[in-house]
Amino acid sequence: MKIDFYNILQKCYAENLINIANVNRIRFLSKKYIHSYEMVEYAKKIFGNVTDEETGALLLHDIGYFIDTSEEAMPHTESGYNYLKNNYSVNECILAAAKFHDRDSSVDADLEAYYNQSELFGKVDYLKTTVKKVIDCDIVSNLDMCINSTEIDDLGIPINENIVECLLCNRLGKNEFVTNRIDGIIYMVCGINLLFFEETKKYVMTNMINRVKKIVKLGYQISNRNEYMKVLNYLDTFD
């Protein structure tokens, strides 16, 4: 029997949201819900064909956020993996995406280590491909969300120097460096260094970098802050 991945997501979101009183937490989870749907649309734009298993992996990668909705919950990668494994007979690539989509360049080694003693080790390359597609689409979707949520009052505010340094040194950023929406955009641009597929890189360069440049350029014009110019000079290297 074919599993309705959309129904799983909708059910978890609806059943758990009613138990939350914190408005900010509701907004956060609502964004994650929309983000989960958008993941599939980005995959279609970037890769063209998307299999049923890939659809499930994309839709349900963040489902852990909807299982235990407290801010003190276990990592959503663990709660999501456990929920799907214990309640649904889903393909292993969907479980792997839920568990490993927050990894960076270590994802190959992590997957190989996890499945080393498993009968599924022979399929680990297929699992790697699916998880990497989820990671790529996650970066693209979150960058787009950061760009779209930027408001005029955000322009010109200081950018965390630590996140700028990560960008200039081609390193991934850290969540603790993000203190405002502009930091969030730069943090996600740092994630471009993690993109696994040429198709994703081409999509970002064609559809997103100029939008980021526009925001950063306006921020520099308003504030004349040096960190904006550093970011702008870095973005110009993508031309």
Side-chain angles (χ1 to χ4, degrees), residues 74-204:
M74 72 169 68
H76 75 285
T77 50
E78 294 300 319
S79 59
Y81 173 86
N82 292 337
Y83 174 79
L84 291 171
K85 186 175 180 65
N86 293 333
N87 292 279
Y88 298 97
S89 299
V90 296
N91 187 285
E92 190 66 28
C93 70
I94 297 171
L95 298 176
K99 189 176 184 66
F100 293 101
H101 73 272
D102 267 10
R103 308 301 172 97
D104 50 29
S105 55
S106 69
V107 67
D108 282 339
D110 291 343
L111 284 165
E112 288 173 6
Y114 186 77
Y115 290 103
N116 185 40
Q117 302 299 323
S118 168
E119 62 183 18
L120 293 167
F121 187 73
K123 297 183 179 180
V124 74
D125 286 341
Y126 170 66
L127 300 178
K128 287 179 186 178
T129 299
T130 303
V131 173
K132 288 176 180 178
K133 284 185 177 182
V134 171
I135 292 173
D136 271 21
C137 291
D138 206 15
I139 292 170
V140 172
S141 176
N142 281 312
L143 175 56
D144 193 48
M145 189 181 298
C146 288
I147 293 171
N148 290 335
S149 66
T150 301
E151 299 176 359
I152 189 67
D153 290 343
D154 298 318
L155 301 177
I157 59 178
I159 305 174
N160 189 316
E161 286 286 357
N162 291 311
I163 204 76
V164 175
E165 182 180 353
C166 289
L167 181 70
L168 300 183
C169 296
N170 293 318
R171 298 198 307 266
L172 294 177
K174 296 182 179 180
N175 278 320
E176 56 262 35
F177 295 159
V178 178
T179 59
N180 55 60
R181 289 190 180 95
I182 302 299
D183 286 345
I185 291 176
I186 307 308
Y187 170 79
M188 294 313 305
V189 173
C190 289
I192 293 174
N193 298 313
L194 178 60
L195 294 174
F196 292 102
F197 297 94
E198 290 302 319
E199 296 97 321
T200 319
K201 295 175 184 177
K202 181 179 179 181
Y203 181 87
V204 170

Side-chain angles (χ1 to χ4, degrees), residues 10-23 25-31 33 65-67 69:
Q10 292 164 0
K11 180 173 178 286
C12 286
Y13 176 73
E15 289 181 353
N16 289 286
L17 204 67
I18 60 174
N19 300 316
I20 304 173
N22 186 307
V23 174
R25 191 66 181 167
I26 292 174
R27 287 174 179 163
F28 171 78
L29 293 175
S30 296
K31 287 180 180 179
Y33 181 68
Y65 282 120
F66 309 119
I67 303 307
T69 56

Side-chain angles (χ1 to χ4, degrees), residues 41-74:
E41 298 308 311
Y42 280 115
K44 291 176 181 177
K45 291 176 183 177
I46 295 168
F47 301 110
N49 183 49
V50 179
T51 67
D52 285 344
E53 289 80 10
E54 288 171 345
T55 297
L58 292 156
L59 273 176
L60 303 179
H61 75 290
D62 271 344
I63 198 167
Y65 282 120
F66 309 119
I67 303 307
D68 187 348
T69 56
S70 67
E71 295 189 38
E72 296 77 28
M74 72 169 68

